[in-house]
Amino acid sequence: MSKKVRQNKIIEIISTNEIDTQEELAQILNSSGFDVTQATVSRDVKELGLIKINGIKRKHRYSIT
Amino acid sequence: MSKKVRQNKIIEIISTNEIDTQEELAQILNSSGFDVTQATVSRDVKELGLIKINGIKRKHRYSIT
DNA sequence: GCTGAATAGAAATTCAAG
DNA sequence: CTTGAATTTCTATTCAGC
């Protein structure tokens, strides 16, 4: 699978799920057939420019910018 | 010093400096007379809803939402 | 309620390797 | 150029204490 496909999947995942951690994201990716580790997710998050929202109400989740 | 004053200072600091880490922010606060640790900065960051921008271009810095 | 010290937990990077 | 394992670095939380 290409990186691009995986990154599209990441966008889809965080759009439909409340993702707290990169580990969690990696697990969902694995369940979806993308065999990746947290290290790669970290790189994808960076490339995609994703941010971690950490506000007082909306606690802890990844989001697209 | 009140928490509110400190948090205003934080906004000012991240608006005028490129801050990478909470430790760094804590140090600048200390230099400015606010005696705090990273733990408190972490709580302030959360309350203020600050985000850490981690994009491929704009690397690593705190920003207001 | 606000905070610091210590710790747990999460994320980024290094260091190969393919 | 992409990745995983291991490690480092950074952040959040716990557990007092005030």
Side-chain angles (χ1 to χ4, degrees), chain B residues 14-27:
Chain B
I14 67 167
S15 300
T16 52
N17 299 74
E18 296 242 335
I19 305 298
D20 290 338
T21 68
Q22 296 180 357
E23 287 287 359
E24 197 181 337
L25 192 44
Q27 285 176 6

Side-chain angles (χ1 to χ4, degrees), chain A residues 20-59:
Chain A
D20 290 337
T21 69
Q22 295 181 356
E23 287 287 0
E24 198 181 339
L25 192 44
Q27 284 176 7
I28 296 181
L29 284 167
N30 286 330
S31 304
S32 307
F34 296 86
D35 205 14
V36 284
T37 63
Q38 178 266 324
T40 296
V41 170
S42 173
R43 294 173 186 121
D44 285 344
V45 164
K46 185 185 226 169
E47 291 185 14
L48 291 167
L50 302 183
I51 57 172
K52 190 174 192 181
I53 293 177
N54 234 352
I56 194 162
K57 273 287 180 184
R58 337 167 61 186
K59 50 191 288 198

